[in-house]
Amino acid sequence: MSKRLINKVAVIGSGIMGSGIACHFANIGVGVLLLDIVPRELNDAEKSKGLTLESKAVRNRLVNDSLTNALKSKPSPIYHEKFASRITTGNLEDDISKVSEADWIIEVVVERLDIKKKVFETLDKHRKPGTLITSNTSGIPIHFMSEGRSEDFQKHFCGTHFFNPARYLKLFEIIPGPKTSPEVLSFLNNYGEQFLGKTSVIAKDTPAFIGNRIGIFGIMSLFHQVKELGLTVEDVDKLTGPVIGRPKSATFRTVDVVGLDTLVHVANGIYENCPNDEAHGLFKLPDFISKMMENKWLGSKTGQGFYKKESNSILALDLNTLDYKPSKKSNFPTLEQTKTIDKVIDRFKILVSGKDKAGDFYRKNFASMFAYVSNRISEITDELYKIDDAMKAGFGWEHGPFQIWDAIGVVKGIEIMKAEGLEPAAWVNEMLSSGNKSFYSIKEGATYYYDIPKKTQEKIPGQDAFIILDNIRKSNEVFKNSGVVVEDLGDGILNCEFQSKMNTIGGDVLAGLNKAIDLAEKDFQGLVVGNQAANFSVGANIGMIFMMAVEQEYDELNGAIKYFQDTMMRMRYSSIPTISAPHGMCLGGGCELSMHADKVVAAAETYIGLVEFGVGVIPGGGGSKELTLRAQDTFRKGDVELNTLQDYFLTIGMAKVSTSAYEAFDLGILQHGKDIVVVNKDRQIATAKSYAKLMAETGYTQPIKRKDIKVLGKQALGMFLVGTDSMEASNFISEHDHKIANKLAYVMAGGDLSEPTLVSEQYLLDLEREAFLSLCTERKTLERIQHMLKTGKPLRN
């Protein structure tokens, strides 16, 4: 069988979803043709310019406006603004023949079967045989769409449901049509995982497929429970947010962002098309939802939904009176009991045993969810892990329903259900009687799930490309302290995994990192520094710095900063290759660590930067030194060297953070030719391990410490000081910002040397540490650190 390649994709329909999908293909380097309909009349701007309906600008107006709006939206659908050049726009009349050049055509037009069928009829005439053709429908049955199409079309046709926004939500549902070739399904499943960075799930052709069927059930179930339990909108969002591993927007804020009309459209579709669903009545809209639809209170798009912003305050909807009232903080004793439990999965047992309204809510909520998901097998899927995968990837849940049920205990979950007058599906009791006490198990680092027809635990397919640290942590542990776990990844490669709160870097983490390097140098071939928490690291432990500074323990603080710097230099100058695997937030010290690794294998969704200015200091763990060194390494004969140095100075001075790993190359934090980006975060540790192994096997040599760094002295310092003076005079920066900037200027200029001079890294590190320490004696810096510790937000003083 010939190997299928995707070099060009045609996306038909440029709405929010179509443009988002086009941008994500551009993100991964694929050429995209984005087409939409031709406008039927001129707008006022076109009339004033004297354009006609035949003008190309008019004929492509809809597609160009949609793409422009998408590219301006926040968060951005694209990893880097230059990637947008990979998208070509056109219209469905003049450019339809160009779909013959595409390897995959994705239809993303309005959710109406008659319109979709017309589009497919046209595409069937122009596509080349063998071209993949898929529909991004969120609920129209796939088997209706390909009726009457050619045999080749039907063989290569299926549903591919991306979730919005396409860049950020990982679920990629693949829904076979009646005649879809198994080769097509297998290809799309692999392509979604490997190239698009998605969690691919092959679903059955049932209403709303897997993700929306379960997700909308969960939300509708809450809509019906909220009044019954006497809970407010704010209460439910407190109970269904980060405390149970769900996004901060929780339930009602999420509905506001997505749009109530979107939710109602899917709920109505399930209500109409699933008359035999045992929870059919729950998909009927409660009165308050119908009233909100009538009032057009649809959420963010109409300016009000469950929440409404008025001047500087947030109002919340009272579901009984439908009046808006000032939003109130919710407090529950049960939630207080979970505050010391860092791992979400360990909280569920406590939550369902609560003796307050929160406990009642969780028992009722999980009982209905467990009963519902157990009854959806084998209707929507035959494998229970696909339901968990869909909820985690499509709705941002940290744990799927069956994982939560396992955490509570399968038997305990059944007890909770029975107390609510519910029963699980028969197969759950059969599972227990067959000797299987849980839905999942871990064997030799792999996850197994309960296979219902076989009545045994079977390995979840596709894990060979992943390393799941949760699965190997206990069995492969080489060293552990309160800050890190060091695991053996196999093939001579160790992994150092941070375990501190928010993965902050303090003394215990630095000690663990040094120990990991010791172990790797003695008995292994390489070291990866990576974890699979929400964020790689939010930086140094500023609480510890604050305490030392307030107590005026300057010798200890100087020692702590030097220890940090020395550890970073060990990352750079050890005898084994070191790989950093950042993802999510990688700030301050986390960024410095990555900059000192031999190679960075960054997840595409990495938000990385040196943010120390926000707490009133400069980067003190080698970050200021490193950007000075990197600026010097870019100097070319005849360059205006000050320009490059100034760019790097502004990267630190403006606390710039990349909005993707690709942007970090522009900031000089990641380096072309050395560092790489992986789109699928699940593959990141395995990829980092393979690079560490390759570097070791191809002959890694311990680097020689640098003593050849050209600093510009007074020439650079003068330019920086003039710049900071004018910025303060123009009120762009405060007096304290001015002081911090001047300290950074002194470090990056290499001091007030009279002429350009070659210096060592240690020389720059000493300047950096001295500047950091002196800033820690400033009252305004301590105010900034204290404010950050209290509020999580920077203070401008």
Side-chain angles (χ1 to χ4, degrees):
M1 186 172 63
S2 62
K3 188 180 174 189
R4 188 182 284 279
L5 296 172
I6 303 294
N7 295 318
K8 189 164 190 179
V9 167
V11 178
I12 314 299
S14 67
I16 292 170
M17 201 71 231
S19 290
I21 291 170
C23 286
H24 195 55
F25 275 95
N27 280 337
I28 65 163
V30 175
V32 183
L33 174 68
L34 180 63
L35 303 180
D36 212 323
I37 56 173
V38 175
R40 290 288 163 249
E41 52 189 46
L42 298 173
N43 62 26
D44 292 342
E46 288 161 347
K47 286 173 188 168
S48 69
K49 288 178 186 169
L51 297 174
T52 69
L53 283 170
E54 296 311 307
S55 308
K56 190 176 178 184
V58 175
R59 293 178 73 75
N60 286 354
R61 184 216 317 145
L62 288 178
V63 67
N64 288 337
D65 285 356
S66 293
L67 181 59
T68 301
N69 290 336
L71 292 169
K72 282 181 187 166
S73 65
K74 295 276 186 279
S76 174
I78 206 132
Y79 291 149
H80 194 289
E81 58 186 11
K82 69 182 181 193
F83 293 175
S85 64
R86 296 168 180 166
I87 304 171
T88 307
T89 54
N91 66 71
L92 285 165
E93 292 175 20
D94 305 331
D95 304 293
I96 191 68
S97 62
K98 292 178 185 171
V99 301
S100 64
E101 300 159 18
D103 305 298
W104 180 357
I105 303 167
I106 305 175
E107 168 275 310
V108 202
V109 303
V110 65
E111 284 284 87
R112 269 181 50 190
L113 181 61
D114 56 334
I115 293 174
K116 287 183 186 288
K117 290 190 85 162
K118 272 185 191 163
V119 169
F120 289 137
E121 188 180 348
T122 307
L123 292 171
D124 205 358
K125 292 172 189 165
H126 293 280
R127 65 181 275 279
K128 63 175 185 278
T131 302
L132 295 173
I133 181 147
T134 68
S135 171
N136 186 66
T137 180
S138 59
I140 295 175
I142 302 301
H143 58 272
F144 289 150
M145 293 189 203
S146 57
E147 286 172 350
R149 300 278 54 82
S150 66
E151 194 176 324
D152 186 84
F153 183 107
Q154 294 193 47
K155 184 179 161 187
H156 293 95
F157 176 77
C158 65
T160 47
H161 183 210
F162 290 81
F163 274 56
N164 186 32
R167 168 181 163 181
Y168 298 95
L169 285 181
K170 286 188 65 179
L171 184 55
F172 180 58
E173 291 180 315
I174 302 158
I175 310 97
K179 296 184 180 174
T180 312
S181 141
E183 178 269 326
V184 165
L185 297 176
S186 172
F187 172 81
L188 288 169
N189 191 56
N190 183 60
Y191 190 89
E193 298 265 0
Q194 192 174 347
F195 293 91
L196 292 167
K198 300 295 180 193
T199 299
S200 300
V201 176
I202 296 178
K204 293 190 177 185
D205 190 7
T206 54
F209 314 129
I210 298 177
N212 277 337
R213 182 72 174 274
I214 305 300
I216 301 300
F217 164 79
I219 295 170
M220 294 303 291
S221 174
L222 278 177
F223 285 171
H224 288 281
Q225 284 171 17
V226 61
K227 282 189 175 180
E228 183 188 333
L229 290 170
L231 294 169
T232 65
V233 163
E234 304 99 305
D235 288 340
V236 172
D237 278 357
K238 177 81 173 177
L239 295 168
T240 59
V243 69
I244 58 168
R246 309 270 168 91
K248 265 188 189 165
S249 54
T251 301
F252 290 111
R253 275 187 203 282
T254 299
V255 174
D256 275 357
V257 171
V258 172
L260 185 63
D261 51 339
T262 305
L263 175 98
V264 165
H265 172 73
V266 182
N268 284 340
I270 298 170
Y271 185 73
E272 287 158 20
N273 295 304
C274 300
N276 300 324
D277 188 314
E278 78 285 355
H280 184 245
L282 278 180
F283 291 98
K284 193 169 180 8
L285 303 180
D287 294 344
F288 69 88
I289 297 290
S290 301
K291 194 72 188 159
M292 287 173 75
M293 289 293 288
E294 264 175 54
N295 293 349
K296 300 243 181 315
W297 295 350
L298 308 180
S300 307
K301 64 174 92 171
T302 58
Q304 67 190 95
F306 291 105
Y307 293 94
K308 176 182 177 182
K309 194 168 183 182
E310 219 165 67
S311 58
N312 286 329
S313 58
I314 301 288
L315 306 179
L317 188 65
D318 181 318
L319 299 180
N320 293 309
T321 63
L322 291 188
D323 295 324
Y324 286 94
K325 295 176 179 174
S327 181
K328 287 181 184 168
K329 277 200 165 177
S330 300
N331 291 301
F332 297 97
T334 295
L335 297 193
E336 293 301 313
Q337 291 177 45
T338 65
K339 279 196 169 166
T340 54
I341 302 170
D342 286 341
K343 286 198 168 172
V344 171
I345 198 74
D346 297 332
R347 295 176 190 158
F348 292 108
K349 272 187 175 169
I350 291 168
L351 295 175
V352 295
S353 59
K355 302 283 188 278
D356 55 359
K357 261 190 191 178
D360 295 340
F361 170 82
Y362 287 122
R363 286 187 290 276
K364 194 173 271 298
N365 192 264
F366 289 135
S368 59
M369 178 57 80
F370 296 163
Y372 195 72
V373 293
S374 72
N375 280 312
R376 297 289 68 74
I377 294 171
S378 58
E379 181 196 345
I380 63 175
T381 178
D382 296 320
E383 295 89 9
L384 61 87
Y385 72 85
K386 288 185 178 175
I387 288 178
D388 283 354
D389 281 355
M391 297 321 297
K392 291 188 290 183
F395 285 78
W397 293 13
E398 200 170 316
H399 305 287
F402 289 106
Q403 290 174 315
I404 296 169
W405 194 345
D406 260 356
I408 290 167
V410 178
V411 173
K412 179 70 179 169
I414 294 172
E415 281 173 24
I416 292 169
M417 276 187 238
K418 287 185 170 171
E420 294 294 332
L422 296 165
E423 289 280 346
W427 67 264
V428 179
N429 289 315
E430 285 169 17
M431 177 184 91
L432 291 169
S433 58
S434 71
N436 288 279
K437 301 299 177 201
S438 63
F439 299 112
Y440 293 101
S441 59
I442 309 295
K443 294 178 208 166
E444 295 164 357
T447 307
Y448 286 67
Y449 74 101
Y450 178 69
D451 184 305
I452 296 158
K454 292 182 182 170
K455 298 190 179 180
T456 57
Q457 296 271 340
E458 296 290 317
K459 188 176 175 181
I460 295 177
Q463 288 179 78
D464 299 339
F466 306 158
I467 291 172
I468 302 166
L469 295 176
D470 278 350
N471 290 1
I472 66 165
R473 194 175 294 114
K474 282 197 178 101
S475 57
N476 294 34
E477 184 185 297
V478 177
F479 170 81
K480 182 180 183 178
N481 69 9
S482 58
V484 307
V485 176
V486 179
E487 300 112 345
D488 183 353
L489 298 180
D491 297 321
I493 308 301
L494 287 180
N495 182 70
C496 181
E497 179 186 10
F498 297 175
Q499 296 269 291
S500 53
K501 193 169 179 68
M502 296 287 283
N503 289 338
T504 51
I505 303 172
D508 48 357
V509 169
L510 293 173
L513 197 50
N514 276 290
K515 179 68 174 176
I517 296 170
D518 289 340
L519 291 165
E521 287 184 327
K522 184 170 177 284
D523 295 318
F524 292 84
Q525 283 192 295
L527 175 70
V528 173
V529 181
N531 62 69
Q532 289 166 333
N535 298 298
F536 178 76
S537 173
V538 296
N541 182 342
I542 58 170
M544 181 189 73
I545 294 167
F546 181 73
M547 290 304 294
M548 287 183 186
V550 166
E551 299 291 336
Q552 298 185 4
E553 294 170 346
Y554 297 125
D555 286 346
E556 286 90 336
L557 186 53
N558 182 56
I561 303 161
K562 184 157 193 326
Y563 187 36
F564 201 122
Q565 290 182 337
D566 291 349
T567 306
M568 298 305 101
M569 293 294 276
R570 277 206 79 192
M571 283 287 289
R572 166 73 46 86
Y573 292 110
S574 65
S575 62
I576 41 98
T578 58
I579 312 279
S580 174
H583 61 273
M585 284 194 285
C586 178
L587 307 175
C591 176
E592 288 172 311
L593 184 147
S594 294
M595 291 169 77
H596 285 84
D598 289 309
K599 189 178 195 73
V600 180
V601 175
E605 298 300 343
T606 300
Y607 319 117
I608 187 168
L610 297 164
V611 295
E612 286 82 353
F613 258 60
V615 289
V617 290
I618 68 166
S624 304
K625 173 273 300 177
E626 188 61 19
L627 278 191
T628 308
L629 181 155
R630 290 185 183 191
Q632 185 264 202
D633 283 349
T634 65
F635 294 166
R636 296 288 176 268
K637 198 170 180 183
D639 272 0
V640 181
E641 294 170 344
L642 291 170
N643 290 356
T644 307
L645 194 64
Q646 185 177 31
D647 286 346
Y648 283 32
F649 175 82
L650 289 173
T651 291
I652 298 175
M654 294 171 74
K656 290 181 181 178
V657 176
S658 71
T659 65
S660 76
Y662 289 99
E663 278 192 4
F665 288 100
D666 296 349
L667 301 179
I669 288 168
L670 295 187
Q671 295 180 293
H672 290 289
K674 178 171 94 74
D675 302 327
I676 66 153
V677 180
V678 292
V679 180
N680 191 331
K681 186 175 149 237
D682 293 338
R683 293 172 177 249
Q684 187 183 15
I685 301 287
T687 305
K689 173 194 163 180
S690 66
Y691 274 102
K693 186 168 177 268
L694 180 69
M695 288 167 77
E697 288 172 353
T698 51
Y700 180 80
T701 306
Q702 186 166 0
I704 297 167
K705 290 190 176 177
R706 298 280 299 270
K707 294 178 181 173
D708 61 342
I709 304 155
K710 182 180 180 182
V711 291
L712 302 177
K714 282 183 174 170
Q715 179 192 357
L717 189 57
M719 171 195 72
F720 285 141
L721 297 184
V722 168
T724 59
D725 284 349
S726 67
M727 285 184 83
E728 190 192 0
S730 310
N731 290 321
F732 280 120
I733 59 173
S734 69
E735 184 186 344
H736 193 53
D737 290 328
H738 187 202
K739 184 174 277 186
I740 308 164
N742 285 355
K743 295 273 187 191
L744 176 64
Y746 191 83
V747 175
M748 294 189 78
D752 57 358
L753 301 168
S754 56
E755 59 184 27
T757 308
L758 297 183
V759 299
S760 68
E761 280 182 272
Q762 193 56 53
Y763 172 85
L764 286 172
L765 286 168
D766 292 343
L767 288 183
E768 174 187 282
R769 190 170 71 256
E770 199 179 300
F772 187 99
L773 203 56
S774 70
L775 285 165
C776 286
T777 67
E778 298 279 345
R779 182 177 60 81
K780 286 190 173 175
T781 286
L782 296 181
E783 285 171 5
R784 286 190 182 194
I785 296 176
Q786 189 174 30
H787 191 266
M788 178 63 80
L789 287 168
K790 276 186 179 171
T791 67
K793 292 176 182 152
L795 172 70
R796 194 75 197 284
N797 59 350

